[in-house]
mmCIF file of all heavy atoms in Angstrom:
data_model
loop_
_atom_site.group_PDB
_atom_site.id
_atom_site.type_symbol
_atom_site.label_atom_id
_atom_site.label_comp_id
_atom_site.label_asym_id
_atom_site.label_seq_id
_atom_site.Cartn_x
_atom_site.Cartn_y
_atom_site.Cartn_z
ATOM 1 N N VAL A 45 14.367 118.370 74.924
ATOM 2 C CA VAL A 45 15.630 117.710 74.605
ATOM 3 C C VAL A 45 16.553 118.657 73.844
ATOM 4 O O VAL A 45 17.750 118.748 74.135
ATOM 5 C CB VAL A 45 15.371 116.412 73.792
ATOM 6 C CG1 VAL A 45 16.662 115.840 73.236
ATOM 7 C CG2 VAL A 45 14.655 115.388 74.657
ATOM 8 N N ALA A 46 16.016 119.386 72.866
ATOM 9 C CA ALA A 46 16.833 120.347 72.103
ATOM 10 C C ALA A 46 17.369 121.438 73.025
ATOM 11 O O ALA A 46 18.529 121.847 72.917
ATOM 12 C CB ALA A 46 16.015 120.948 70.972
ATOM 13 N N GLY A 47 16.546 121.907 73.936
ATOM 14 C CA GLY A 47 16.996 122.927 74.889
ATOM 15 C C GLY A 47 18.094 122.401 75.791
ATOM 16 O O GLY A 47 19.062 123.112 76.090
ATOM 17 N N ALA A 48 17.967 121.151 76.239
ATOM 18 C CA ALA A 48 19.004 120.560 77.088
ATOM 19 C C ALA A 48 20.316 120.423 76.326
ATOM 20 O O ALA A 48 21.389 120.686 76.870
ATOM 21 C CB ALA A 48 18.540 119.201 77.604
ATOM 22 N N ILE A 49 20.236 120.041 75.054
ATOM 23 C CA ILE A 49 21.453 119.922 74.240
ATOM 24 C C ILE A 49 22.112 121.283 74.066
ATOM 25 O O ILE A 49 23.332 121.417 74.181
ATOM 26 C CB ILE A 49 21.134 119.277 72.882
ATOM 27 C CG1 ILE A 49 20.771 117.801 73.083
ATOM 28 C CG2 ILE A 49 22.296 119.415 71.898
ATOM 29 C CD1 ILE A 49 20.230 117.123 71.847
ATOM 30 N N VAL A 50 21.314 122.310 73.816
ATOM 31 C CA VAL A 50 21.867 123.662 73.654
ATOM 32 C C VAL A 50 22.534 124.119 74.947
ATOM 33 O O VAL A 50 23.634 124.684 74.935
ATOM 34 C CB VAL A 50 20.763 124.644 73.208
ATOM 35 C CG1 VAL A 50 21.232 126.085 73.311
ATOM 36 C CG2 VAL A 50 20.320 124.335 71.791
ATOM 37 N N VAL A 51 21.897 123.861 76.081
ATOM 38 C CA VAL A 51 22.478 124.257 77.370
ATOM 39 C C VAL A 51 23.796 123.537 77.601
ATOM 40 O O VAL A 51 24.779 124.145 78.044
ATOM 41 C CB VAL A 51 21.475 123.987 78.517
ATOM 42 C CG1 VAL A 51 22.140 124.092 79.873
ATOM 43 C CG2 VAL A 51 20.303 124.944 78.432
ATOM 44 N N LEU A 52 23.854 122.234 77.295
ATOM 45 C CA LEU A 52 25.105 121.497 77.464
ATOM 46 C C LEU A 52 26.205 122.021 76.553
ATOM 47 O O LEU A 52 27.357 122.160 76.977
ATOM 48 C CB LEU A 52 24.871 120.007 77.186
ATOM 49 C CG LEU A 52 24.119 119.242 78.271
ATOM 50 C CD1 LEU A 52 23.832 117.822 77.806
ATOM 51 C CD2 LEU A 52 24.908 119.228 79.558
ATOM 52 N N LEU A 53 25.873 122.330 75.301
ATOM 53 C CA LEU A 53 26.878 122.872 74.384
ATOM 54 C C LEU A 53 27.397 124.226 74.859
ATOM 55 O O LEU A 53 28.596 124.499 74.783
ATOM 56 C CB LEU A 53 26.302 122.979 72.971
ATOM 57 C CG LEU A 53 26.059 121.645 72.254
ATOM 58 C CD1 LEU A 53 25.375 121.883 70.917
ATOM 59 C CD2 LEU A 53 27.354 120.895 72.069
ATOM 60 N N VAL A 54 26.502 125.068 75.345
ATOM 61 C CA VAL A 54 26.924 126.381 75.850
ATOM 62 C C VAL A 54 27.821 126.214 77.072
ATOM 63 O O VAL A 54 28.834 126.913 77.215
ATOM 64 C CB VAL A 54 25.690 127.261 76.158
ATOM 65 C CG1 VAL A 54 26.075 128.487 76.950
ATOM 66 C CG2 VAL A 54 24.997 127.664 74.865
ATOM 67 N N LEU A 55 27.476 125.284 77.966
ATOM 68 C CA LEU A 55 28.317 125.047 79.140
ATOM 69 C C LEU A 55 29.694 124.530 78.752
ATOM 70 O O LEU A 55 30.707 125.001 79.271
ATOM 71 C CB LEU A 55 27.631 124.053 80.083
ATOM 72 C CG LEU A 55 26.496 124.608 80.928
ATOM 73 C CD1 LEU A 55 25.811 123.490 81.692
ATOM 74 C CD2 LEU A 55 27.004 125.666 81.884
ATOM 75 N N ILE A 56 29.739 123.567 77.823
ATOM 76 C CA ILE A 56 31.032 123.026 77.400
ATOM 77 C C ILE A 56 31.868 124.114 76.747
ATOM 78 O O ILE A 56 33.054 124.277 77.063
ATOM 79 C CB ILE A 56 30.828 121.831 76.450
ATOM 80 C CG1 ILE A 56 30.250 120.653 77.218
ATOM 81 C CG2 ILE A 56 32.130 121.441 75.757
ATOM 82 C CD1 ILE A 56 29.775 119.519 76.333
ATOM 83 N N TRP A 57 31.266 124.866 75.833
ATOM 84 C CA TRP A 57 32.000 125.947 75.163
ATOM 85 C C TRP A 57 32.444 126.997 76.175
ATOM 86 O O TRP A 57 33.563 127.486 76.123
ATOM 87 C CB TRP A 57 31.112 126.586 74.094
ATOM 88 C CG TRP A 57 31.772 127.735 73.405
ATOM 89 C CD1 TRP A 57 32.703 127.690 72.411
ATOM 90 C CD2 TRP A 57 31.558 129.117 73.677
ATOM 91 N NE1 TRP A 57 33.067 128.950 72.045
ATOM 92 C CE2 TRP A 57 32.384 129.848 72.803
ATOM 93 C CE3 TRP A 57 30.742 129.814 74.566
ATOM 94 C CZ2 TRP A 57 32.424 131.227 72.815
ATOM 95 C CZ3 TRP A 57 30.787 131.191 74.569
ATOM 96 C CH2 TRP A 57 31.619 131.875 73.698
ATOM 97 N N GLY A 58 31.576 127.334 77.115
ATOM 98 C CA GLY A 58 31.906 128.354 78.111
ATOM 99 C C GLY A 58 33.034 127.929 79.023
ATOM 100 O O GLY A 58 33.944 128.711 79.323
ATOM 101 N N VAL A 59 33.013 126.680 79.468
ATOM 102 C CA VAL A 59 34.077 126.191 80.351
ATOM 103 C C VAL A 59 35.404 126.170 79.610
ATOM 104 O O VAL A 59 36.435 126.586 80.155
ATOM 105 C CB VAL A 59 33.709 124.791 80.901
ATOM 106 C CG1 VAL A 59 34.902 124.126 81.561
ATOM 107 C CG2 VAL A 59 32.551 124.902 81.874
ATOM 108 N N ARG A 60 35.396 125.709 78.365
ATOM 109 C CA ARG A 60 36.647 125.684 77.598
ATOM 110 C C ARG A 60 37.173 127.096 77.349
ATOM 111 O O ARG A 60 38.376 127.343 77.432
ATOM 112 C CB ARG A 60 36.427 124.971 76.262
ATOM 113 C CG ARG A 60 36.200 123.473 76.437
ATOM 114 C CD ARG A 60 36.051 122.786 75.136
ATOM 115 N NE ARG A 60 37.309 122.905 74.392
ATOM 116 C CZ ARG A 60 37.480 122.495 73.164
ATOM 117 N NH1 ARG A 60 36.479 121.938 72.520
ATOM 118 N NH2 ARG A 60 38.629 122.635 72.565
ATOM 119 N N THR A 61 36.268 128.030 77.043
ATOM 120 C CA THR A 61 36.689 129.418 76.802
ATOM 121 C C THR A 61 37.258 130.046 78.059
ATOM 122 O O THR A 61 38.298 130.711 78.022
ATOM 123 C CB THR A 61 35.509 130.242 76.273
ATOM 124 O OG1 THR A 61 35.011 129.627 75.080
ATOM 125 C CG2 THR A 61 35.924 131.672 75.972
ATOM 126 N N ILE A 62 36.595 129.838 79.176
ATOM 127 C CA ILE A 62 37.076 130.418 80.438
ATOM 128 C C ILE A 62 38.414 129.791 80.820
ATOM 129 O O ILE A 62 39.329 130.489 81.274
ATOM 130 C CB ILE A 62 36.028 130.232 81.541
ATOM 131 C CG1 ILE A 62 34.829 131.138 81.249
ATOM 132 C CG2 ILE A 62 36.599 130.539 82.910
ATOM 133 C CD1 ILE A 62 33.648 130.930 82.158
ATOM 134 N N ALA A 63 38.568 128.484 80.640
ATOM 135 C CA ALA A 63 39.837 127.830 80.951
ATOM 136 C C ALA A 63 40.961 128.383 80.069
ATOM 137 O O ALA A 63 42.082 128.607 80.544
ATOM 138 C CB ALA A 63 39.710 126.321 80.768
ATOM 139 N N TYR A 64 40.667 128.607 78.796
ATOM 140 C CA TYR A 64 41.677 129.181 77.899
ATOM 141 C C TYR A 64 42.024 130.605 78.321
ATOM 142 O O TYR A 64 43.193 130.982 78.346
ATOM 143 C CB TYR A 64 41.155 129.166 76.457
ATOM 144 C CG TYR A 64 42.119 129.776 75.474
ATOM 145 C CD1 TYR A 64 43.151 129.020 74.937
ATOM 146 C CD2 TYR A 64 42.014 131.111 75.092
ATOM 147 C CE1 TYR A 64 44.039 129.564 74.033
ATOM 148 C CE2 TYR A 64 42.896 131.669 74.190
ATOM 149 C CZ TYR A 64 43.909 130.905 73.672
ATOM 150 O OH TYR A 64 44.792 131.454 72.796
ATOM 151 N N MET A 65 41.021 131.384 78.650
ATOM 152 C CA MET A 65 41.264 132.786 79.011
ATOM 153 C C MET A 65 42.038 132.907 80.327
ATOM 154 O O MET A 65 42.765 133.878 80.528
ATOM 155 C CB MET A 65 39.948 133.537 79.100
ATOM 156 C CG MET A 65 39.242 133.666 77.766
ATOM 157 S SD MET A 65 37.626 134.404 77.933
ATOM 158 C CE MET A 65 38.065 136.122 77.725
ATOM 159 N N MET A 66 41.878 131.931 81.213
ATOM 160 C CA MET A 66 42.591 131.988 82.489
ATOM 161 C C MET A 66 44.081 131.659 82.325
ATOM 162 O O MET A 66 44.888 132.057 83.157
ATOM 163 C CB MET A 66 41.960 131.012 83.486
ATOM 164 C CG MET A 66 40.530 131.343 83.849
ATOM 165 S SD MET A 66 40.366 132.866 84.749
ATOM 166 C CE MET A 66 40.860 132.340 86.361
ATOM 167 N N THR A 67 44.453 130.939 81.269
ATOM 168 C CA THR A 67 45.840 130.523 81.103
ATOM 169 C C THR A 67 46.586 131.287 80.016
ATOM 170 O O THR A 67 47.788 131.103 79.869
ATOM 171 C CB THR A 67 45.906 129.013 80.774
ATOM 172 O OG1 THR A 67 45.149 128.767 79.595
ATOM 173 C CG2 THR A 67 45.349 128.188 81.926
ATOM 174 N N HIS A 68 45.906 132.106 79.225
ATOM 175 C CA HIS A 68 46.549 132.837 78.137
ATOM 176 C C HIS A 68 46.318 134.335 78.296
ATOM 177 O O HIS A 68 45.246 134.762 78.717
ATOM 178 C CB HIS A 68 46.003 132.382 76.775
ATOM 179 C CG HIS A 68 46.390 130.989 76.430
ATOM 180 N ND1 HIS A 68 45.739 129.893 76.938
ATOM 181 C CD2 HIS A 68 47.369 130.513 75.621
ATOM 182 C CE1 HIS A 68 46.297 128.807 76.464
ATOM 183 N NE2 HIS A 68 47.282 129.139 75.665
ATOM 184 N N GLN A 69 47.325 135.089 77.934
ATOM 185 C CA GLN A 69 47.231 136.537 77.978
ATOM 186 C C GLN A 69 46.832 137.053 76.599
ATOM 187 O O GLN A 69 47.158 136.472 75.579
ATOM 188 C CB GLN A 69 48.584 137.157 78.369
ATOM 189 C CG GLN A 69 49.044 136.772 79.755
ATOM 190 C CD GLN A 69 48.150 137.353 80.828
ATOM 191 O OE1 GLN A 69 47.675 138.475 80.706
ATOM 192 N NE2 GLN A 69 47.910 136.588 81.879
ATOM 193 N N SER A 70 46.131 138.170 76.576
ATOM 194 C CA SER A 70 45.784 138.785 75.301
ATOM 195 C C SER A 70 46.095 140.276 75.371
ATOM 196 O O SER A 70 46.202 140.858 76.442
ATOM 197 C CB SER A 70 44.299 138.572 74.991
ATOM 198 O OG SER A 70 43.515 139.257 75.945
ATOM 199 N N THR A 71 46.250 140.866 74.197
ATOM 200 C CA THR A 71 46.552 142.285 74.131
ATOM 201 C C THR A 71 45.915 142.875 72.888
ATOM 202 O O THR A 71 45.604 142.160 71.939
ATOM 203 C CB THR A 71 48.076 142.522 74.113
ATOM 204 O OG1 THR A 71 48.317 143.924 74.089
ATOM 205 C CG2 THR A 71 48.721 141.879 72.903
ATOM 206 N N ASP A 72 45.709 144.180 72.891
ATOM 207 C CA ASP A 72 45.125 144.855 71.742
ATOM 208 C C ASP A 72 46.185 145.454 70.823
ATOM 209 O O ASP A 72 45.880 145.845 69.706
ATOM 210 C CB ASP A 72 44.180 145.973 72.202
ATOM 211 C CG ASP A 72 42.937 145.400 72.852
ATOM 212 O OD1 ASP A 72 42.584 144.246 72.546
ATOM 213 O OD2 ASP A 72 42.317 146.112 73.654
ATOM 214 N N ASP A 73 47.433 145.539 71.303
ATOM 215 C CA ASP A 73 48.468 146.099 70.439
ATOM 216 C C ASP A 73 49.233 144.972 69.747
ATOM 217 O O ASP A 73 49.067 143.804 70.056
ATOM 218 C CB ASP A 73 49.415 147.016 71.216
ATOM 219 C CG ASP A 73 50.129 146.292 72.338
ATOM 220 O OD1 ASP A 73 49.930 145.075 72.477
ATOM 221 O OD2 ASP A 73 50.892 146.940 73.065
ATOM 222 N N ALA A 74 50.071 145.333 68.797
ATOM 223 C CA ALA A 74 50.736 144.333 67.969
ATOM 224 C C ALA A 74 52.107 143.946 68.496
ATOM 225 O O ALA A 74 52.806 143.165 67.879
ATOM 226 C CB ALA A 74 50.872 144.860 66.549
ATOM 227 N N LYS A 75 52.516 144.462 69.616
ATOM 228 C CA LYS A 75 53.838 144.154 70.131
ATOM 229 C C LYS A 75 53.827 142.775 70.785
ATOM 230 O O LYS A 75 52.977 142.463 71.602
ATOM 231 C CB LYS A 75 54.264 145.194 71.156
ATOM 232 C CG LYS A 75 55.646 144.970 71.690
ATOM 233 C CD LYS A 75 56.041 146.051 72.652
ATOM 234 C CE LYS A 75 57.424 145.759 73.195
ATOM 235 N NZ LYS A 75 57.838 146.768 74.165
ATOM 236 N N VAL A 76 54.811 141.969 70.396
ATOM 237 C CA VAL A 76 54.948 140.640 70.962
ATOM 238 C C VAL A 76 56.308 140.561 71.623
ATOM 239 O O VAL A 76 57.333 140.847 71.006
ATOM 240 C CB VAL A 76 54.825 139.554 69.862
ATOM 241 C CG1 VAL A 76 55.045 138.177 70.452
ATOM 242 C CG2 VAL A 76 53.486 139.647 69.190
ATOM 243 N N ASP A 77 56.311 140.175 72.880
ATOM 244 C CA ASP A 77 57.581 140.019 73.588
ATOM 245 C C ASP A 77 58.106 138.611 73.319
ATOM 246 O O ASP A 77 57.416 137.619 73.559
ATOM 247 C CB ASP A 77 57.389 140.205 75.089
ATOM 248 C CG ASP A 77 57.001 141.639 75.429
ATOM 249 O OD1 ASP A 77 57.415 142.542 74.685
ATOM 250 O OD2 ASP A 77 56.291 141.845 76.425
ATOM 251 N N ALA A 78 59.319 138.537 72.785
ATOM 252 C CA ALA A 78 59.918 137.239 72.496
ATOM 253 C C ALA A 78 61.428 137.378 72.544
ATOM 254 O O ALA A 78 61.977 138.481 72.495
ATOM 255 C CB ALA A 78 59.482 136.753 71.119
#
Side-chain angles (χ1 to χ4, degrees):
V45 170
I49 291 171
V50 168
V51 167
L52 286 174
L53 290 175
V54 168
L55 283 174
I56 291 169
W57 178 79
V59 167
R60 290 183 64 185
T61 303
I62 290 173
Y64 178 84
M65 294 174 91
M66 296 294 282
T67 58
H68 292 80
Q69 297 293 323
S70 65
T71 182
D72 291 335
D73 60 3
K75 182 178 178 181
V76 177
D77 293 330

